[in-house]
Amino acid sequence: MSDMTANTQPTPKSTSSLYDETKRTKRRNQSEVRFKAYGVAAIAIGLFFLIALLVAIFSNGTPAFKQTFITIPVELTESALDKTGNRNVDEMSKVSTFGYKPVVTNALITALKDAGIAIPFKKEKDVEKLLSSSVAAQVRDTVLADPSRVGTSVEFRLLASSRVDGYFKGRVTREDLIRDKNLDAEHLDIADAMAKAGLMATTFNADFIFGSDASESRPEQAGIGVSMMGSLFMMIVVLFLSLPIGVATSIYLEEFAPQNRFTDLIEVNISNLAAVPSIVFGILGLAVFIQFVHLPQSAPLVGGLVLTLMTLPTIIISTRASLKAVPPSIRDAALGVGASKMQSVFHHVLPLAMPGILTGTIIGLAQALGETAPLLLIGMVGFIASNMPDGIASGFLDPNSAMPAQIYEWAKRADPAYYERAWGGIIILLLFLMTMNIIAVILRRRFERRW
Amino acid sequence: MNDMRIVKRDVDMNDTKISAKGVQVFYGDTHAIKDVDVEIKDKTVTAFIGPSGCGKSTFLRCLNRMNDTIDVCRVEGKILLDQEDIYDKRVDPVQLRAKVGMVFQKPNPFPKSIYDNVAYGPRIHGLAGSKADLDVIVEKSLRRAAIWDEVKDRLQAPGTGLSGGQQQRLCIARAVATEPEVLLMDEPCSALDPIATLQVEELIDELRENFSVVIVTHSMQQAARVSQKTAFFHLGNLVEYGDTQQIFTNPKDERTESYITGRIG
């Protein structure tokens, strides 16, 4: 009011047009454009690597799901397999796979002759190199399962050897075989002829998914099924221990615990534990669970316990974050109508935090599923050529392997056929992880809608 | 809304419902409430007014021990509800809060259906024997909060989907559903538009028949419109407490007069 002169001054006339960009604006706009370009470039690089990774995994891994089989009738001669003719399983089981081998080899020679395929070897017996060394056991198992088959001719789908399989998958060439005493180029000629005659075909191999590991010399027989069971039993242990312990810890720390030095210390330590290398948990599990408590070695129970220790910090941190994200007004509202602290937490806060808790848990589980290092230390890289665990107790306590450990084991072996199987194992592992993430998303959606 | 006219109402000489004696509140080292004595009458609307940060909300939250949830908060002195010390060791704050309901500044319905919002209190306190009883309580509470007609056709719709004013009335319905004896309201209209404010104010006047209402407000007009008793807080002190009419027309303390006429605040 006192400054009357200010009102009489005219509004300063603008010297520049709005249509012209000033230098300053131009610079600012340019830097914004640059920043956006950096962002797009970063995403493009990320996408490129992702695609490269996926292409590598799928191109290397898909052959593992197919296997070359030889389908021939096998004459189960009584004189070789059941000398007494009693069809007594106990007596017949005295004939080992060595007794069965000639039977299968002869069947192959006969089949080749029937199909009019010439055998270019001095010793006809050499054609057996086309077959996997596992076939004798396969035939023996079938015979012992039903002794009445002896004396008849039964059609078998026999595994071809890994070199032959590799030839059909493009992994093995004739030049490679010059230095390879396992197979000759002539074998490949026979294989081509057999494929033409319909005796040999490369088809989908369910045994890779459901079967067990095999010895180093017969990659064609190896499957990931048993270690999948090992992983499954471990995940059961992890889920049933880490979810309740983790959520209870988080709720107590977040909602009930007093704020003091001690709880601060606990908080700092939980954050630190999340960053501890997993191999440390492995050696801890070795020292505590195996050497001190004397739990069985290589057992999924121990693996699950170790992975629980590793997963807990992840679950606690994510659960606390999602509890923190629930607005305090909800707690006030519940307390205001006379709910107890626990009722306010369990009726209101926890359901709202549930999507976050589930996401955290499943991410923790996925991390545990892919973890290898701690399993090496507690011996869960055992060579498990046995069959599936035959019960829940043996599932938890019998030695087993886990999917990532199995993949590591395969990648370590010399035969290139195992390299292919390692990639195939990774595809299965990734499918599991993807399924878990999808479950996480679905659960989150459902809980969010339900509130 | 700028109606400063004080509605002349009969103030019965009601019994004292809450009586505070020498209440001190500390937040860590901060002395937030200094030696407050106040007698809150039954079936009366009592307004707490004062500038921001004067401690009126803090004092309100002492009346149902909501300050217990804040670790650093310490309350001294005595607050008697029907002659019983609510800070006595034997008192369970949960039971106290069933008797002393609260409505907050920001509408905070549970993210559940309208029905479940209102039914939650009666459920946890076991006030309803059957589903039919609960239905009756829910309807009665929603009617009391003057929102029944607006929501009766969509009781299963989420409470968070209502408008701000409706949400606040839903919160009031939720608070009255547990049949409290005292209803504390912490600036219940600050997030509402004038029309919703008017509805809530009318509601407060009706609630007086059944409850003793304590309301914290920034709006002096609102205090004048809805309350029979007014307490003026300043810097943690209770400066003046008396009939609303007297406070607004003939304040005894200089600070009260300054605040009411807009010179401090």
Side-chain angles (χ1 to χ4, degrees), chain A residues 3 13 17 35 48 59 80 117 133 140 232-233 241-242 278 283 288 311 327 349 351 370 373 424 436 445:
Chain A
D3 195 0
K13 255 256 154 53
S17 161
F35 182 77
F48 169 76
S59 61
I117 300 167
S133 46
R140 181 170 182 266
L232 173 74
F233 280 103
L241 286 177
S242 64
S278 54
I283 205 156
V288 175
T311 318
V349 179
M436 286 169 84
R445 287 259 173 86

mmCIF file with all atom_site columns, all heavy atoms in Angstrom, chain A residues 3 13 17 35 48 59 80 117 133 140 232-233 241-242 278 283 288 311 327 349 351 370 373 424 436 445:
data_model
loop_
_atom_site.group_PDB
_atom_site.id
_atom_site.type_symbol
_atom_site.label_atom_id
_atom_site.label_alt_id
_atom_site.label_comp_id
_atom_site.label_asym_id
_atom_site.label_entity_id
_atom_site.label_seq_id
_atom_site.pdbx_PDB_ins_code
_atom_site.Cartn_x
_atom_site.Cartn_y
_atom_site.Cartn_z
_atom_site.occupancy
_atom_site.B_iso_or_equiv
_atom_site.pdbx_formal_charge
_atom_site.auth_seq_id
_atom_site.auth_comp_id
_atom_site.auth_asym_id
_atom_site.auth_atom_id
_atom_site.pdbx_PDB_model_num
ATOM 1   N N   . ASP A 1 3   ? 3.785  1.542    -1.291  1.00 0.00 ? 3   ASP A N   1
ATOM 2   C CA  . ASP A 1 3   ? 4.556  1.706    -2.523  1.00 0.00 ? 3   ASP A CA  1
ATOM 3   C C   . ASP A 1 3   ? 3.612  1.923    -3.709  1.00 0.00 ? 3   ASP A C   1
ATOM 4   O O   . ASP A 1 3   ? 3.308  1.022    -4.462  1.00 0.00 ? 3   ASP A O   1
ATOM 5   C CB  . ASP A 1 3   ? 5.432  0.469    -2.711  1.00 0.00 ? 3   ASP A CB  1
ATOM 6   C CG  . ASP A 1 3   ? 6.519  0.688    -3.741  1.00 0.00 ? 3   ASP A CG  1
ATOM 7   O OD1 . ASP A 1 3   ? 6.586  1.804    -4.295  1.00 0.00 ? 3   ASP A OD1 1
ATOM 8   O OD2 . ASP A 1 3   ? 7.255  -0.266   -4.006  1.00 0.00 ? 3   ASP A OD2 1
ATOM 9   N N   . LYS A 1 13  ? 7.973  -5.209   -21.273 1.00 0.00 ? 13  LYS A N   1
ATOM 10  C CA  . LYS A 1 13  ? 7.676  -5.827   -22.573 1.00 0.00 ? 13  LYS A CA  1
ATOM 11  C C   . LYS A 1 13  ? 8.607  -7.000   -22.802 1.00 0.00 ? 13  LYS A C   1
ATOM 12  O O   . LYS A 1 13  ? 9.798  -6.930   -22.535 1.00 0.00 ? 13  LYS A O   1
ATOM 13  C CB  . LYS A 1 13  ? 7.906  -4.775   -23.682 1.00 0.00 ? 13  LYS A CB  1
ATOM 14  C CG  . LYS A 1 13  ? 6.595  -4.234   -24.227 1.00 0.00 ? 13  LYS A CG  1
ATOM 15  C CD  . LYS A 1 13  ? 6.311  -4.841   -25.592 1.00 0.00 ? 13  LYS A CD  1
ATOM 16  C CE  . LYS A 1 13  ? 4.875  -4.922   -25.993 1.00 0.00 ? 13  LYS A CE  1
ATOM 17  N NZ  . LYS A 1 13  ? 4.036  -3.751   -25.962 1.00 0.00 ? 13  LYS A NZ  1
ATOM 18  N N   . SER A 1 17  ? 10.367 -13.985  -28.441 1.00 0.00 ? 17  SER A N   1
ATOM 19  C CA  . SER A 1 17  ? 9.110  -14.623  -28.816 1.00 0.00 ? 17  SER A CA  1
ATOM 20  C C   . SER A 1 17  ? 9.033  -16.014  -28.206 1.00 0.00 ? 17  SER A C   1
ATOM 21  O O   . SER A 1 17  ? 10.050 -16.667  -27.997 1.00 0.00 ? 17  SER A O   1
ATOM 22  C CB  . SER A 1 17  ? 9.038  -14.710  -30.338 1.00 0.00 ? 17  SER A CB  1
ATOM 23  O OG  . SER A 1 17  ? 8.091  -15.689  -30.694 1.00 0.00 ? 17  SER A OG  1
ATOM 24  N N   . PHE A 1 35  ? 19.454 -38.197  -22.661 1.00 0.00 ? 35  PHE A N   1
ATOM 25  C CA  . PHE A 1 35  ? 19.188 -39.121  -21.561 1.00 0.00 ? 35  PHE A CA  1
ATOM 26  C C   . PHE A 1 35  ? 18.249 -40.238  -21.994 1.00 0.00 ? 35  PHE A C   1
ATOM 27  O O   . PHE A 1 35  ? 18.451 -41.403  -21.679 1.00 0.00 ? 35  PHE A O   1
ATOM 28  C CB  . PHE A 1 35  ? 18.598 -38.371  -20.370 1.00 0.00 ? 35  PHE A CB  1
ATOM 29  C CG  . PHE A 1 35  ? 18.365 -39.264  -19.200 1.00 0.00 ? 35  PHE A CG  1
ATOM 30  C CD1 . PHE A 1 35  ? 19.419 -39.675  -18.404 1.00 0.00 ? 35  PHE A CD1 1
ATOM 31  C CD2 . PHE A 1 35  ? 17.094 -39.747  -18.921 1.00 0.00 ? 35  PHE A CD2 1
ATOM 32  C CE1 . PHE A 1 35  ? 19.217 -40.526  -17.347 1.00 0.00 ? 35  PHE A CE1 1
ATOM 33  C CE2 . PHE A 1 35  ? 16.881 -40.603  -17.869 1.00 0.00 ? 35  PHE A CE2 1
ATOM 34  C CZ  . PHE A 1 35  ? 17.948 -40.992  -17.071 1.00 0.00 ? 35  PHE A CZ  1
ATOM 35  N N   . PHE A 1 48  ? 19.248 -57.477  -26.074 1.00 0.00 ? 48  PHE A N   1
ATOM 36  C CA  . PHE A 1 48  ? 20.117 -58.235  -26.962 1.00 0.00 ? 48  PHE A CA  1
ATOM 37  C C   . PHE A 1 48  ? 20.726 -59.421  -26.221 1.00 0.00 ? 48  PHE A C   1
ATOM 38  O O   . PHE A 1 48  ? 20.713 -60.553  -26.705 1.00 0.00 ? 48  PHE A O   1
ATOM 39  C CB  . PHE A 1 48  ? 21.215 -57.314  -27.516 1.00 0.00 ? 48  PHE A CB  1
ATOM 40  C CG  . PHE A 1 48  ? 22.299 -58.064  -28.236 1.00 0.00 ? 48  PHE A CG  1
ATOM 41  C CD1 . PHE A 1 48  ? 22.070 -58.562  -29.516 1.00 0.00 ? 48  PHE A CD1 1
ATOM 42  C CD2 . PHE A 1 48  ? 23.523 -58.302  -27.630 1.00 0.00 ? 48  PHE A CD2 1
ATOM 43  C CE1 . PHE A 1 48  ? 23.044 -59.267  -30.171 1.00 0.00 ? 48  PHE A CE1 1
ATOM 44  C CE2 . PHE A 1 48  ? 24.503 -59.011  -28.282 1.00 0.00 ? 48  PHE A CE2 1
ATOM 45  C CZ  . PHE A 1 48  ? 24.271 -59.500  -29.561 1.00 0.00 ? 48  PHE A CZ  1
ATOM 46  N N   . SER A 1 59  ? 18.929 -73.405  -28.546 1.00 0.00 ? 59  SER A N   1
ATOM 47  C CA  . SER A 1 59  ? 19.533 -74.119  -29.672 1.00 0.00 ? 59  SER A CA  1
ATOM 48  C C   . SER A 1 59  ? 20.444 -75.246  -29.157 1.00 0.00 ? 59  SER A C   1
ATOM 49  O O   . SER A 1 59  ? 20.523 -76.313  -29.749 1.00 0.00 ? 59  SER A O   1
ATOM 50  C CB  . SER A 1 59  ? 20.310 -73.160  -30.562 1.00 0.00 ? 59  SER A CB  1
ATOM 51  O OG  . SER A 1 59  ? 21.337 -72.568  -29.811 1.00 0.00 ? 59  SER A OG  1
ATOM 52  N N   . ALA A 1 80  ? 19.822 -119.290 -23.590 1.00 0.00 ? 80  ALA A N   1
ATOM 53  C CA  . ALA A 1 80  ? 20.741 -118.296 -23.035 1.00 0.00 ? 80  ALA A CA  1
ATOM 54  C C   . ALA A 1 80  ? 20.214 -117.690 -21.735 1.00 0.00 ? 80  ALA A C   1
ATOM 55  O O   . ALA A 1 80  ? 20.986 -117.373 -20.828 1.00 0.00 ? 80  ALA A O   1
ATOM 56  C CB  . ALA A 1 80  ? 20.966 -117.185 -24.063 1.00 0.00 ? 80  ALA A CB  1
ATOM 57  N N   . ILE A 1 117 ? 20.579 -105.046 -45.087 1.00 0.00 ? 117 ILE A N   1
ATOM 58  C CA  . ILE A 1 117 ? 21.671 -104.103 -44.905 1.00 0.00 ? 117 ILE A CA  1
ATOM 59  C C   . ILE A 1 117 ? 22.959 -104.886 -44.701 1.00 0.00 ? 117 ILE A C   1
ATOM 60  O O   . ILE A 1 117 ? 23.038 -105.764 -43.826 1.00 0.00 ? 117 ILE A O   1
ATOM 61  C CB  . ILE A 1 117 ? 21.409 -103.196 -43.694 1.00 0.00 ? 117 ILE A CB  1
ATOM 62  C CG1 . ILE A 1 117 ? 20.111 -102.406 -43.905 1.00 0.00 ? 117 ILE A CG1 1
ATOM 63  C CG2 . ILE A 1 117 ? 22.582 -102.252 -43.453 1.00 0.00 ? 117 ILE A CG2 1
ATOM 64  C CD1 . ILE A 1 117 ? 19.601 -101.720 -42.682 1.00 0.00 ? 117 ILE A CD1 1
ATOM 65  N N   . SER A 1 133 ? 25.361 -99.126  -24.329 1.00 0.00 ? 133 SER A N   1
ATOM 66  C CA  . SER A 1 133 ? 25.722 -100.250 -23.470 1.00 0.00 ? 133 SER A CA  1
ATOM 67  C C   . SER A 1 133 ? 24.655 -100.508 -22.409 1.00 0.00 ? 133 SER A C   1
ATOM 68  O O   . SER A 1 133 ? 24.769 -101.429 -21.625 1.00 0.00 ? 133 SER A O   1
ATOM 69  C CB  . SER A 1 133 ? 27.079 -99.991  -22.819 1.00 0.00 ? 133 SER A CB  1
ATOM 70  O OG  . SER A 1 133 ? 27.123 -98.687  -22.306 1.00 0.00 ? 133 SER A OG  1
ATOM 71  N N   . ARG A 1 140 ? 17.140 -107.188 -19.884 1.00 0.00 ? 140 ARG A N   1
ATOM 72  C CA  . ARG A 1 140 ? 17.126 -108.048 -18.698 1.00 0.00 ? 140 ARG A CA  1
ATOM 73  C C   . ARG A 1 140 ? 15.979 -107.629 -17.768 1.00 0.00 ? 140 ARG A C   1
ATOM 74  O O   . ARG A 1 140 ? 15.226 -108.471 -17.267 1.00 0.00 ? 140 ARG A O   1
ATOM 75  C CB  . ARG A 1 140 ? 18.468 -107.931 -17.984 1.00 0.00 ? 140 ARG A CB  1
ATOM 76  C CG  . ARG A 1 140 ? 18.570 -108.804 -16.747 1.00 0.00 ? 140 ARG A CG  1
ATOM 77  C CD  . ARG A 1 140 ? 20.015 -108.806 -16.235 1.00 0.00 ? 140 ARG A CD  1
ATOM 78  N NE  . ARG A 1 140 ? 20.148 -109.675 -15.075 1.00 0.00 ? 140 ARG A NE  1
ATOM 79  C CZ  . ARG A 1 140 ? 20.047 -109.231 -13.830 1.00 0.00 ? 140 ARG A CZ  1
ATOM 80  N NH1 . ARG A 1 140 ? 19.796 -107.955 -13.596 1.00 0.00 ? 140 ARG A NH1 1
ATOM 81  N NH2 . ARG A 1 140 ? 20.191 -110.083 -12.825 1.00 0.00 ? 140 ARG A NH2 1
ATOM 82  N N   . LEU A 1 232 ? 12.676 -81.026  -5.620  1.00 0.00 ? 232 LEU A N   1
ATOM 83  C CA  . LEU A 1 232 ? 11.308 -80.899  -5.113  1.00 0.00 ? 232 LEU A CA  1
ATOM 84  C C   . LEU A 1 232 ? 11.271 -81.092  -3.602  1.00 0.00 ? 232 LEU A C   1
ATOM 85  O O   . LEU A 1 232 ? 10.699 -80.269  -2.869  1.00 0.00 ? 232 LEU A O   1
ATOM 86  C CB  . LEU A 1 232 ? 10.399 -81.932  -5.796  1.00 0.00 ? 232 LEU A CB  1
ATOM 87  C CG  . LEU A 1 232 ? 8.987  -81.996  -5.232  1.00 0.00 ? 232 LEU A CG  1
ATOM 88  C CD1 . LEU A 1 232 ? 8.184  -80.782  -5.686  1.00 0.00 ? 232 LEU A CD1 1
ATOM 89  C CD2 . LEU A 1 232 ? 8.280  -83.268  -5.637  1.00 0.00 ? 232 LEU A CD2 1
ATOM 90  N N   . PHE A 1 233 ? 11.934 -82.158  -3.125  1.00 0.00 ? 233 PHE A N   1
ATOM 91  C CA  . PHE A 1 233 ? 11.918 -82.401  -1.681  1.00 0.00 ? 233 PHE A CA  1
ATOM 92  C C   . PHE A 1 233 ? 12.622 -81.280  -0.929  1.00 0.00 ? 233 PHE A C   1
ATOM 93  O O   . PHE A 1 233 ? 12.192 -80.875  0.149   1.00 0.00 ? 233 PHE A O   1
ATOM 94  C CB  . PHE A 1 233 ? 12.533 -83.770  -1.368  1.00 0.00 ? 233 PHE A CB  1
ATOM 95  C CG  . PHE A 1 233 ? 11.582 -84.900  -1.603  1.00 0.00 ? 233 PHE A CG  1
ATOM 96  C CD1 . PHE A 1 233 ? 11.682 -85.698  -2.725  1.00 0.00 ? 233 PHE A CD1 1
ATOM 97  C CD2 . PHE A 1 233 ? 10.546 -85.136  -0.710  1.00 0.00 ? 233 PHE A CD2 1
ATOM 98  C CE1 . PHE A 1 233 ? 10.790 -86.736  -2.947  1.00 0.00 ? 233 PHE A CE1 1
ATOM 99  C CE2 . PHE A 1 233 ? 9.649  -86.170  -0.924  1.00 0.00 ? 233 PHE A CE2 1
ATOM 100 C CZ  . PHE A 1 233 ? 9.762  -86.967  -2.047  1.00 0.00 ? 233 PHE A CZ  1
ATOM 101 N N   . LEU A 1 241 ? 9.730  -74.413  6.098   1.00 0.00 ? 241 LEU A N   1
ATOM 102 C CA  . LEU A 1 241 ? 10.491 -73.818  7.194   1.00 0.00 ? 241 LEU A CA  1
ATOM 103 C C   . LEU A 1 241 ? 10.610 -72.316  7.033   1.00 0.00 ? 241 LEU A C   1
ATOM 104 O O   . LEU A 1 241 ? 10.360 -71.562  7.957   1.00 0.00 ? 241 LEU A O   1
ATOM 105 C CB  . LEU A 1 241 ? 11.886 -74.443  7.271   1.00 0.00 ? 241 LEU A CB  1
ATOM 106 C CG  . LEU A 1 241 ? 11.938 -75.859  7.841   1.00 0.00 ? 241 LEU A CG  1
ATOM 107 C CD1 . LEU A 1 241 ? 13.351 -76.386  7.794   1.00 0.00 ? 241 LEU A CD1 1
ATOM 108 C CD2 . LEU A 1 241 ? 11.429 -75.867  9.274   1.00 0.00 ? 241 LEU A CD2 1
ATOM 109 N N   . SER A 1 242 ? 10.978 -71.876  5.829   1.00 0.00 ? 242 SER A N   1
ATOM 110 C CA  . SER A 1 242 ? 11.338 -70.462  5.718   1.00 0.00 ? 242 SER A CA  1
ATOM 111 C C   . SER A 1 242 ? 10.115 -69.558  5.694   1.00 0.00 ? 242 SER A C   1
ATOM 112 O O   . SER A 1 242 ? 10.176 -68.443  6.189   1.00 0.00 ? 242 SER A O   1
ATOM 113 C CB  . SER A 1 242 ? 12.204 -70.220  4.482   1.00 0.00 ? 242 SER A CB  1
ATOM 114 O OG  . SER A 1 242 ? 11.478 -70.497  3.323   1.00 0.00 ? 242 SER A OG  1
ATOM 115 N N   . SER A 1 278 ? 26.604 -67.811  -0.767  1.00 0.00 ? 278 SER A N   1
ATOM 116 C CA  . SER A 1 278 ? 25.854 -69.010  -0.401  1.00 0.00 ? 278 SER A CA  1
ATOM 117 C C   . SER A 1 278 ? 26.761 -70.152  0.017   1.00 0.00 ? 278 SER A C   1
ATOM 118 O O   . SER A 1 278 ? 26.367 -71.031  0.765   1.00 0.00 ? 278 SER A O   1
ATOM 119 C CB  . SER A 1 278 ? 24.974 -69.425  -1.563  1.00 0.00 ? 278 SER A CB  1
ATOM 120 O OG  . SER A 1 278 ? 25.744 -69.559  -2.717  1.00 0.00 ? 278 SER A OG  1
ATOM 121 N N   . ILE A 1 283 ? 29.031 -74.460  4.005   1.00 0.00 ? 283 ILE A N   1
ATOM 122 C CA  . ILE A 1 283 ? 29.999 -75.024  4.951   1.00 0.00 ? 283 ILE A CA  1
ATOM 123 C C   . ILE A 1 283 ? 29.412 -75.011  6.353   1.00 0.00 ? 283 ILE A C   1
ATOM 124 O O   . ILE A 1 283 ? 29.674 -75.889  7.177   1.00 0.00 ? 283 ILE A O   1
ATOM 125 C CB  . ILE A 1 283 ? 31.361 -74.286  4.858   1.00 0.00 ? 283 ILE A CB  1
ATOM 126 C CG1 . ILE A 1 283 ? 32.461 -75.239  5.329   1.00 0.00 ? 283 ILE A CG1 1
ATOM 127 C CG2 . ILE A 1 283 ? 31.382 -73.027  5.673   1.00 0.00 ? 283 ILE A CG2 1
ATOM 128 C CD1 . ILE A 1 283 ? 33.808 -74.882  4.778   1.00 0.00 ? 283 ILE A CD1 1
ATOM 129 N N   . VAL A 1 288 ? 27.263 -77.996  10.893  1.00 0.00 ? 288 VAL A N   1
ATOM 130 C CA  . VAL A 1 288 ? 26.196 -78.111  11.890  1.00 0.00 ? 288 VAL A CA  1
ATOM 131 C C   . VAL A 1 288 ? 25.327 -79.342  11.636  1.00 0.00 ? 288 VAL A C   1
ATOM 132 O O   . VAL A 1 288 ? 25.181 -80.197  12.501  1.00 0.00 ? 288 VAL A O   1
ATOM 133 C CB  . VAL A 1 288 ? 25.331 -76.830  11.903  1.00 0.00 ? 288 VAL A CB  1
ATOM 134 C CG1 . VAL A 1 288 ? 24.158 -77.014  12.849  1.00 0.00 ? 288 VAL A CG1 1
ATOM 135 C CG2 . VAL A 1 288 ? 26.170 -75.645  12.311  1.00 0.00 ? 288 VAL A CG2 1
ATOM 136 N N   . THR A 1 311 ? 17.622 -68.612  2.356   1.00 0.00 ? 311 THR A N   1
ATOM 137 C CA  . THR A 1 311 ? 16.437 -67.926  1.855   1.00 0.00 ? 311 THR A CA  1
ATOM 138 C C   . THR A 1 311 ? 15.825 -66.999  2.899   1.00 0.00 ? 311 THR A C   1
ATOM 139 O O   . THR A 1 311 ? 15.188 -66.011  2.555   1.00 0.00 ? 311 THR A O   1
ATOM 140 C CB  . THR A 1 311 ? 15.377 -68.974  1.451   1.00 0.00 ? 311 THR A CB  1
ATOM 141 O OG1 . THR A 1 311 ? 16.031 -70.013  0.777   1.00 0.00 ? 311 THR A OG1 1
ATOM 142 C CG2 . THR A 1 311 ? 14.339 -68.376  0.547   1.00 0.00 ? 311 THR A CG2 1
ATOM 143 N N   . PRO A 1 327 ? -0.422 -48.790  4.872   1.00 0.00 ? 327 PRO A N   1
ATOM 144 C CA  . PRO A 1 327 ? -0.539 -47.469  5.487   1.00 0.00 ? 327 PRO A CA  1
ATOM 145 C C   . PRO A 1 327 ? -0.864 -47.561  6.980   1.00 0.00 ? 327 PRO A C   1
ATOM 146 O O   . PRO A 1 327 ? -1.672 -48.394  7.382   1.00 0.00 ? 327 PRO A O   1
ATOM 147 C CB  . PRO A 1 327 ? -1.687 -46.811  4.722   1.00 0.00 ? 327 PRO A CB  1
ATOM 148 C CG  . PRO A 1 327 ? -2.339 -47.898  3.956   1.00 0.00 ? 327 PRO A CG  1
ATOM 149 C CD  . PRO A 1 327 ? -1.352 -48.982  3.772   1.00 0.00 ? 327 PRO A CD  1
ATOM 150 N N   . VAL A 1 349 ? -3.415 -55.916  8.474   1.00 0.00 ? 349 VAL A N   1
ATOM 151 C CA  . VAL A 1 349 ? -2.105 -55.624  7.892   1.00 0.00 ? 349 VAL A CA  1
ATOM 152 C C   . VAL A 1 349 ? -1.613 -56.792  7.035   1.00 0.00 ? 349 VAL A C   1
ATOM 153 O O   . VAL A 1 349 ? -1.208 -56.617  5.891   1.00 0.00 ? 349 VAL A O   1
ATOM 154 C CB  . VAL A 1 349 ? -1.087 -55.300  9.007   1.00 0.00 ? 349 VAL A CB  1
ATOM 155 C CG1 . VAL A 1 349 ? 0.273  -55.017  8.405   1.00 0.00 ? 349 VAL A CG1 1
ATOM 156 C CG2 . VAL A 1 349 ? -1.568 -54.111  9.813   1.00 0.00 ? 349 VAL A CG2 1
ATOM 157 N N   . PRO A 1 351 ? -3.187 -59.409  5.514   1.00 0.00 ? 351 PRO A N   1
ATOM 158 C CA  . PRO A 1 351 ? -3.820 -59.623  4.204   1.00 0.00 ? 351 PRO A CA  1
ATOM 159 C C   . PRO A 1 351 ? -3.385 -58.585  3.169   1.00 0.00 ? 351 PRO A C   1
ATOM 160 O O   . PRO A 1 351 ? -3.210 -58.915  2.002   1.00 0.00 ? 351 PRO A O   1
ATOM 161 C CB  . PRO A 1 351 ? -5.314 -59.479  4.500   1.00 0.00 ? 351 PRO A CB  1
ATOM 162 C CG  . PRO A 1 351 ? -5.442 -59.778  5.938   1.00 0.00 ? 351 PRO A CG  1
ATOM 163 C CD  . PRO A 1 351 ? -4.173 -59.332  6.594   1.00 0.00 ? 351 PRO A CD  1
ATOM 164 N N   . GLY A 1 370 ? 17.758 -72.537  -7.736  1.00 0.00 ? 370 GLY A N   1
ATOM 165 C CA  . GLY A 1 370 ? 18.874 -72.432  -8.666  1.00 0.00 ? 370 GLY A CA  1
ATOM 166 C C   . GLY A 1 370 ? 20.230 -72.444  -7.994  1.00 0.00 ? 370 GLY A C   1
ATOM 167 O O   . GLY A 1 370 ? 21.249 -72.291  -8.643  1.00 0.00 ? 370 GLY A O   1
ATOM 168 N N   . ALA A 1 373 ? 26.150 -73.805  -5.133  1.00 0.00 ? 373 ALA A N   1
ATOM 169 C CA  . ALA A 1 373 ? 27.355 -73.818  -4.303  1.00 0.00 ? 373 ALA A CA  1
ATOM 170 C C   . ALA A 1 373 ? 27.181 -74.519  -2.956  1.00 0.00 ? 373 ALA A C   1
ATOM 171 O O   . ALA A 1 373 ? 27.984 -75.398  -2.616  1.00 0.00 ? 373 ALA A O   1
ATOM 172 C CB  . ALA A 1 373 ? 27.854 -72.393  -4.114  1.00 0.00 ? 373 ALA A CB  1
ATOM 173 N N   . GLY A 1 424 ? 20.094 -78.836  -21.836 1.00 0.00 ? 424 GLY A N   1
ATOM 174 C CA  . GLY A 1 424 ? 18.718 -79.307  -21.712 1.00 0.00 ? 424 GLY A CA  1
ATOM 175 C C   . GLY A 1 424 ? 18.229 -79.180  -20.277 1.00 0.00 ? 424 GLY A C   1
ATOM 176 O O   . GLY A 1 424 ? 17.094 -78.777  -20.023 1.00 0.00 ? 424 GLY A O   1
ATOM 177 N N   . MET A 1 436 ? 7.188  -70.885  -11.409 1.00 0.00 ? 436 MET A N   1
ATOM 178 C CA  . MET A 1 436 ? 7.073  -70.298  -10.070 1.00 0.00 ? 436 MET A CA  1
ATOM 179 C C   . MET A 1 436 ? 6.735  -68.823  -10.153 1.00 0.00 ? 436 MET A C   1
ATOM 180 O O   . MET A 1 436 ? 5.910  -68.317  -9.390  1.00 0.00 ? 436 MET A O   1
ATOM 181 C CB  . MET A 1 436 ? 8.381  -70.504  -9.304  1.00 0.00 ? 436 MET A CB  1
ATOM 182 C CG  . MET A 1 436 ? 8.555  -71.932  -8.859  1.00 0.00 ? 436 MET A CG  1
ATOM 183 S SD  . MET A 1 436 ? 10.191 -72.253  -8.260  1.00 0.00 ? 436 MET A SD  1
ATOM 184 C CE  . MET A 1 436 ? 10.013 -71.705  -6.578  1.00 0.00 ? 436 MET A CE  1
ATOM 185 N N   . ARG A 1 445 ? -2.326 -61.518  -7.929  1.00 0.00 ? 445 ARG A N   1
ATOM 186 C CA  . ARG A 1 445 ? -3.577 -61.003  -8.495  1.00 0.00 ? 445 ARG A CA  1
ATOM 187 C C   . ARG A 1 445 ? -4.761 -61.421  -7.647  1.00 0.00 ? 445 ARG A C   1
ATOM 188 O O   . ARG A 1 445 ? -5.635 -60.617  -7.338  1.00 0.00 ? 445 ARG A O   1
ATOM 189 C CB  . ARG A 1 445 ? -3.771 -61.567  -9.900  1.00 0.00 ? 445 ARG A CB  1
ATOM 190 C CG  . ARG A 1 445 ? -2.852 -60.971  -10.916 1.00 0.00 ? 445 ARG A CG  1
ATOM 191 C CD  . ARG A 1 445 ? -3.591 -59.913  -11.742 1.00 0.00 ? 445 ARG A CD  1
ATOM 192 N NE  . ARG A 1 445 ? -2.655 -59.233  -12.596 1.00 0.00 ? 445 ARG A NE  1
ATOM 193 C CZ  . ARG A 1 445 ? -2.304 -59.675  -13.792 1.00 0.00 ? 445 ARG A CZ  1
ATOM 194 N NH1 . ARG A 1 445 ? -2.829 -60.784  -14.262 1.00 0.00 ? 445 ARG A NH1 1
ATOM 195 N NH2 . ARG A 1 445 ? -1.443 -59.010  -14.521 1.00 0.00 ? 445 ARG A NH2 1
#
